[in-house]
Amino acid sequence: MPKFVFAYHGAPQFKSKQDGADHMVAWRDWMTGLGDAVVDPGVPVGKSMTVSSTGVEEGGGSNPLAGVTIVQADTMEAAVTMARACPHITAGGTIEVAEAMDMEM
């Protein structure tokens, strides 16, 4: 079954600590609901640095990476359906979905 990377972008801002805590409960419930589709729940990430041939830029640009998750799904459409239900979306973030390519390294 193909694997897909969910790359979370943006840093939702919450009005209170309780709003943030409620968001985390919703996120954990969503993750649990994915069941066996979750290959690796991933990690949230902190501030980033972008490295290019022209140098190093601080901050990750206008839509910085916030974390990653790896899931398995039959199709890209199925993976997108999973991502659309994530509370990160309703908190103002976005999720980039990309198929993980099998390659010999």
Side-chain angles (χ1 to χ4, degrees), residues 20-72:
D22 291 346
H23 173 77
M24 287 310 301
V25 168
W27 192 90
R28 286 186 188 109
D29 288 347
W30 168 76
M31 181 63 59
T32 300
L34 294 177
D36 292 340
V38 178
V39 174
D40 184 341
V43 295
V45 300
K47 292 185 179 185
S48 63
M49 305 287 277
T50 302
V51 180
S52 71
S53 62
T54 60
V56 178
E57 183 179 345
E58 212 174 309
S62 63
N63 198 16
L65 183 66
V68 296
T69 295
I70 300 174
V71 301
Q72 57 187 4

Side-chain angles (χ1 to χ4, degrees), residues 62-89:
S62 63
N63 198 16
L65 183 66
V68 296
T69 295
I70 300 174
V71 301
Q72 57 187 4
D74 290 325
T75 64
M76 172 65 84
E77 291 76 17
V80 167
T81 297
M82 288 181 212
R84 289 182 69 152
C86 180
H88 187 74
I89 301 292

